[in-house]
């Protein structure tokens, strides 16, 4: 008898949403993704203290204290790539979210650090916030052969602009959309078939397939397994270890919900900057959650900086 996780793997590529090396080694996903919040958790994990200290020591020895977080992200990414056969997503500093040039520089810096560790760019996705500036930076990075994962994606305008920019991957945030609507409606839960986070990802997936975009859709930020099950067939899904375990514990076959042959989708939408900003601005949830996500990642990046400054190097 199969289980829902094994069944899901037939339809979608599974990505571990964690920087916890022990969980990745146990779960053996295809890919893994990190962000400043997950890096902060990894830095506090006793199992990775020696890795953190060694990474910090290398940064200090090079006089590159300012780049300590970048180096730590790459060092953890390198360890993850020893455990997964695919790619790791590594995020650009969130403080560059509204600066195209800074995002490009930081993205190339991460790629250079991976190269110095003997890791080719084909195994790395540079995560960039889906602001207008971030999308333009990702477009440039893609032209230079640097593959990008556009994160903190909440609106259809963001998804349309990312596809036209030719980015490799987008990560629409199912759970954070769900959270916003639960709060707005004053309810504790929303049924899976009415879940606006699930509906958002399904709409984007069908739009991309109908119009022949190569950009992959990776559902992210899940709160419960029912959200995952309703999106079975999405190109990729990045899932926490807790939810991966819950899927594995649920026996039986899982029915595919999304297929490239789905016929219904929006007409093609071409957006210039003004059009993007207007359409994104019309979505109050997306405006709030994008800003909130950047602030949260920034807070965790700053907390990580403070903790690294206090740590003794190996």
């Amino acid at each position: 008898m199969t289980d829902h996780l094994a069944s899901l793997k037939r339809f979608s590529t599974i990505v571990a949403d964690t920087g916890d090396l022990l969980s990745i080694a146990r779960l053996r996903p295809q890919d893994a993704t990190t962000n400043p919040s997950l890096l902060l958790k990894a830095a506090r994990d006793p199992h990775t203290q020696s890795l953190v200290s060694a990474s910090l020591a290398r940064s200090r020895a090079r006089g590159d204290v300012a780049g300590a977080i970048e180096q730590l992200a790459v060092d953890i990414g390198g360890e993850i790539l020893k455990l997964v056969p695919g790619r790791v997503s590594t995020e650009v500093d969130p403080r560059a979210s509204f600066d195209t040039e800074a995002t490009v520089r930081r993205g190339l810096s991460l790629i250079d650090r991976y190269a110095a560790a003997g890791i080719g760019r084909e195994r790395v996705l540079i995560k960039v916030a889906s602001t207008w500036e971030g999308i333009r930076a990702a477009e440039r990075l893609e032209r230079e052969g640097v593959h990008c994962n556009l994160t903190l994606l909440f609106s259809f305008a963001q998804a349309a602009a990312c596809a036209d920019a030719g980015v490799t991957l987008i990560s629409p945030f199912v759970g954070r959309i769900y959270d916003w609507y639960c709060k707005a409606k004053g309810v504790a839960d929303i049924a899976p078939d009415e879940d606006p986070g699930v509906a958002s990802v399904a709409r984007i997936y069908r739009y991309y397939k109908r119009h022949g975009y190569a950009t992959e859709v990776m559902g992210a930020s899940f709160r419960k397994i029912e959200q995952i099950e309703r999106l079975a067939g999405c190109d990729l899904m990045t899932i926490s270890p807790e939810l991966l375990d819950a899927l594995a514990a649920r026996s039986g076959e899982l029915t595919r919900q999304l297929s490239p042959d789905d016929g219904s989708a929006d007409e093609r939408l071409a957006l210039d900057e003004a059009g993007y900003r207007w359409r994104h601005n019309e979505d109050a949830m997306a405006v709030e959650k994008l800003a909130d996500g950047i602030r949260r990642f920034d807070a965790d990046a700053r907390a990580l900086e403070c903790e690294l400054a206090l740590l003794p190097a190996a």
Side-chain angles (χ1 to χ4, degrees):
M1 181 177 292
T2 189
D3 59 70
H4 279 205
L5 179 57
S7 185
L8 180 64
K9 287 180 176 179
R10 294 201 295 270
F11 311 133
S12 304
T13 297
I14 303 303
V15 181
D17 191 14
T18 181
D20 177 16
L21 299 176
L22 293 179
S23 293
I24 293 170
R26 176 174 63 83
L27 295 165
R28 294 288 175 176
Q30 174 68 23
D31 296 351
T33 182
T34 64
N35 59 46
S37 302
L38 294 175
L39 284 178
L40 180 60
K41 286 181 65 176
R44 291 171 172 172
D45 186 340
H47 295 102
T48 53
Q49 282 300 302
S50 59
L51 172 64
V52 174
S53 295
S55 179
L56 181 58
R58 284 194 294 275
S59 294
R60 287 175 175 169
R62 293 195 303 265
D64 184 27
V65 177
I69 289 184
E70 270 193 8
Q71 188 59 53
L72 177 61
V74 169
D75 288 343
I76 289 178
E79 292 300 311
I80 289 172
L81 288 174
K82 295 176 183 177
L83 303 172
V84 303
R87 305 168 296 189
V88 66
S89 290
T90 301
E91 191 145 351
V92 167
D93 189 321
R95 284 164 285 193
S97 295
F98 301 104
D99 187 330
T100 297
E101 296 300 328
T103 298
V104 171
R105 286 196 305 272
R106 290 179 180 274
L108 292 174
S109 175
L110 287 167
I111 288 295
D112 287 344
R113 291 177 188 272
Y114 272 112
I119 297 168
R121 59 182 61 190
E122 73 280 357
R123 299 203 68 196
V124 179
L125 289 167
I126 298 299
K127 284 180 80 175
V128 177
S130 299
T131 58
W132 178 258
E133 295 82 2
I135 295 168
R136 299 281 67 81
E139 184 176 39
R140 286 172 50 184
L141 288 167
E142 292 280 358
R143 287 200 299 262
E144 295 190 36
V146 176
H147 303 302
C148 295
N149 172 356
L150 273 290
T151 187
L152 293 175
L153 194 146
F154 303 99
S155 73
F156 190 72
Q158 289 175 295
C162 285
D164 281 337
V167 306
T168 298
L169 182 75
I170 63 165
S171 298
F173 276 31
V174 177
R176 296 196 194 189
I177 295 174
Y178 164 86
D179 293 344
W180 190 92
Y181 278 99
C182 282
K183 183 177 180 180
K185 294 174 180 289
V187 297
D189 190 22
I190 299 174
D193 290 339
E194 301 171 1
D195 189 323
V198 171
S200 176
V201 175
R203 179 188 181 192
I204 293 166
Y205 175 90
R206 292 182 178 120
Y207 176 78
Y208 279 17
K209 301 312 175 192
R210 175 184 175 184
H211 298 293
Y213 288 112
T215 300
E216 296 176 299
V217 181
M218 180 167 73
S221 175
F222 293 103
R223 297 292 181 260
K224 48 188 179 177
I225 59 174
E226 290 79 9
Q227 293 172 328
I228 299 167
E229 292 167 346
R230 290 304 189 282
L231 292 171
C234 192
D235 297 320
L236 304 95
M237 295 193 195
T238 180
I239 305 171
S240 69
E242 294 78 15
L243 288 177
L244 287 172
D245 286 335
L247 284 165
R250 184 170 287 193
S251 62
E253 291 284 345
L254 189 60
T255 302
R256 183 167 192 161
Q257 302 294 319
L258 297 179
S259 168
D261 299 326
D262 289 344
S264 60
D266 296 77
E267 293 299 322
R268 189 159 185 164
L269 181 64
L271 296 175
D272 59 10
E273 181 176 356
Y276 165 88
R277 293 193 186 280
W278 181 260
R279 284 182 176 264
H280 180 71
N281 188 67
E282 286 185 310
D283 189 333
M285 174 278 299
V287 171
E288 290 181 25
K289 296 308 292 183
L290 174 60
D292 178 67
I294 291 170
R295 285 194 299 269
R296 288 174 182 267
F297 283 161
D298 174 52
D300 285 340
R302 291 178 186 274
L304 181 55
E305 278 183 342
C306 291
E307 294 196 16
L308 289 180
L310 295 174
L311 282 177

